[in-house]
């Protein structure tokens, strides 16, 4: 039987191990749309050229349209599908083409991997927003520049870091207009 002090020490060591791995840029999860896991375990650009073109098109259309809904509308009108590689199931790792959704596009535009950067610590728990009995609630997103770990030029990039920062600013400006 372990004492609570031993459990607390073990938990602290595990968390510190995760933090050290993240600071090296080695704490990787499933790669997002347009990226695949390479033989060395690192994320790399999807080898399918059409998948890469669709990702670049999304960023180009966002710069033209200026709003997320404009990108979604453009993709739907032009019948452009998103390249998805499932992480589970019978088709795991196989390229599938799915209809675009607002949440998928939002995640894509906010993810710094497209600018070649690795981030960790971008989700913090706000105790004021947490609901009792629901441990996954209260999460807030932190801008990439304010993350606990941010390593630029860690992955192959689809866009430049400066372009990514401009897109984040534009998304933030759109959000403040909608909130007003």
């Amino acid at each position: 039987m372990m004492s609570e002090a031993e459990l607390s020490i073990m938990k602290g060591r595990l968390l510190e191990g995760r933090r050290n791995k993240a600071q090296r840029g080695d704490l990787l999860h499933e790669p997002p749309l347009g990226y695949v896991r390479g033989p060395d375990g690192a994320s790399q650009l999807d080898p399918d050229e059409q998948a890469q073109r669709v990702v670049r098109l999304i960023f180009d259309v966002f710069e033209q349209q200026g709003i997320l809904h404009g990108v979604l509308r453009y993709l739907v009108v032009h019948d452009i599908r998103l390249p998805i590689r499932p992480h589970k199931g019978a088709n795991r790792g196989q390229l599938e083409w799915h209809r675009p959704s607002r949440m998928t596009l939002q995640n894509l535009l906010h993810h710094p991997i497209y600018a070649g950067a690795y981030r960790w610590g971008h989700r913090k728990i706000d105790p004021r927003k947490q609901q009792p009995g629901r441990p996954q609630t209260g999460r807030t997103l932190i801008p990439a520049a304010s993350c606990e770990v941010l390593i630029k030029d860690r992955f192959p990039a689809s866009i430049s870091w400066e372009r990514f920062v401009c897109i984040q600013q534009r998304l933030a400006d759109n959000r403040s207009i909608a909130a007003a």
Side-chain angles (χ1 to χ4, degrees), residues 5 22 25 30-31 52 73 78 87 98 109 126 140 149 165:
E30 295 298 331
Q52 291 180 33
R73 185 176 42 230
H78 292 89
H87 305 301
H98 292 237
L109 290 170
D126 184 353
T140 57
V149 176
V165 169

Side-chain angles (χ1 to χ4, degrees), residues 111-164:
H111 208 304
I113 194 171
Y114 297 102
Y118 171 85
R119 72 170 174 202
W120 185 77
H122 64 284
R123 289 190 192 124
K124 298 287 182 186
I125 303 234
D126 184 353
R128 297 171 297 171
K129 295 181 178 180
Q130 219 170 7
Q131 298 173 5
R134 298 186 62 203
Q136 300 299 322
T137 60
R139 289 185 177 178
T140 57
L141 289 177
I142 296 173
S146 303
C147 289
E148 197 170 329
V149 176
L150 178 66
I151 304 172
K152 296 178 184 172
D153 301 323
R154 172 71 170 83
F155 302 109
S158 298
I159 61 172
S160 69
W161 180 255
E162 293 76 21
R163 188 173 177 194
F164 176 76

Side-chain angles (χ1 to χ4, degrees), residues 57-58 61 68-82 98-102 105:
L57 175 71
I58 290 169
V61 171
L68 184 64
H69 184 73
V71 176
L72 180 60
R73 185 176 42 230
Y74 179 90
L75 296 176
V76 169
V77 166
H78 292 89
D79 196 30
I80 298 172
R81 303 220 170 220
L82 301 180
H98 292 237
R99 286 181 27 213
S101 71
R102 185 176 183 82
L105 293 174

Side-chain angles (χ1 to χ4, degrees), residues 3-180:
S3 71
E4 285 189 35
E6 289 172 329
L7 287 174
S8 177
I9 290 170
M10 189 182 305
K11 185 177 178 181
R13 285 182 178 166
L14 289 171
L15 182 61
E16 194 57 37
R18 276 183 67 147
R19 182 173 284 118
N20 287 336
K21 196 171 184 179
Q23 287 174 341
R24 292 190 312 263
D26 293 334
L27 187 60
L28 302 173
H29 299 289
E30 295 298 331
L33 179 146
Y35 283 83
V36 295
R37 176 88 21 108
D40 60 349
S43 295
Q44 58 189 34
L45 289 173
D46 196 311
D48 187 276
E49 185 61 38
Q50 188 175 359
Q52 291 180 33
R53 279 196 308 263
V54 168
V55 170
R56 287 191 300 265
L57 175 71
I58 290 169
F59 286 104
D60 292 342
V61 171
F62 180 77
E63 285 189 347
Q64 292 169 358
Q65 301 286 327
I67 57 172
L68 184 64
H69 184 73
V71 176
L72 180 60
R73 185 176 42 230
Y74 179 90
L75 296 176
V76 169
V77 166
H78 292 89
D79 196 30
I80 298 172
R81 303 220 170 220
L82 301 180
I84 306 288
R85 291 189 184 266
H87 305 301
K88 303 180 207 175
N91 294 336
R92 182 175 188 260
Q94 300 299 315
L95 187 61
E96 297 176 355
W97 295 91
H98 292 237
R99 286 181 27 213
S101 71
R102 185 176 183 82
M103 188 54 68
T104 303
L105 293 174
Q106 182 174 331
N107 290 339
L108 186 142
L109 290 170
H110 281 293
H111 208 304
I113 194 171
Y114 297 102
Y118 171 85
R119 72 170 174 202
W120 185 77
H122 64 284
R123 289 190 192 124
K124 298 287 182 186
I125 303 234
D126 184 353
R128 297 171 297 171
K129 295 181 178 180
Q130 219 170 7
Q131 298 173 5
R134 298 186 62 203
Q136 300 299 322
T137 60
R139 289 185 177 178
T140 57
L141 289 177
I142 296 173
S146 303
C147 289
E148 197 170 329
V149 176
L150 178 66
I151 304 172
K152 296 178 184 172
D153 301 323
R154 172 71 170 83
F155 302 109
S158 298
I159 61 172
S160 69
W161 180 255
E162 293 76 21
R163 188 173 177 194
F164 176 76
V165 169
C166 290
I167 289 170
Q168 298 313 298
Q169 184 60 50
R170 198 158 189 187
L171 287 166
D173 292 346
N174 291 347
R175 195 170 34 252
S176 65
I177 290 170

